[in-house]
Amino acid sequence: MQCVFCGGKVESRQVTFVYDYESEFFFVENVPAQVCTQCGEKFYSPEVTEHLIHLAKTRLKPTKVVKVPVFEYADPVLS
Ligand SMILES: [Zn+2]
């Protein structure tokens, strides 16, 4: 399989899917995906996409909850 964006080589990997929609935010770890070795674009099979949507809808018990520090790019680093 080739990357549809850059034509680069795509390989199977386990990735962390980041769900970020209207200030709702969560990760799904160890998601099987095809990742472009050139541009890093991730591709998910229809089955995987369906399961991710299912997880987003149902919000069953997460395996763990982590605190994520969020930074504002525009903030001055040192003032
Ligand atoms: Zn690519």
Side-chain angles (χ1 to χ4, degrees), residues 3 5-8 36 38-41:
C3 175
F5 295 101
C6 72
C36 176
Q38 204 162 281
C39 73
E41 189 65 36

Side-chain angles (χ1 to χ4, degrees), residues 20-73:
D20 179 6
Y21 181 70
E22 292 182 351
S23 293
E24 283 200 89
F25 195 64
F26 63 83
F27 299 141
V28 184
E29 290 184 318
N30 304 314
V31 180
Q34 303 287 314
V35 183
C36 176
T37 54
Q38 204 162 281
C39 73
E41 189 65 36
K42 300 182 186 93
F43 303 95
Y44 303 101
S45 71
E47 297 77 33
V48 170
T49 305
E50 204 171 293
H51 189 57
L52 289 169
I53 292 168
H54 174 77
L55 285 169
K57 276 188 191 157
T58 56
R59 309 293 166 86
L60 293 175
K61 228 175 153 207
T63 44
K64 65 185 171 193
V65 175
V66 293
K67 280 189 187 173
V68 181
V70 179
F71 300 95
E72 180 63 54
Y73 180 76

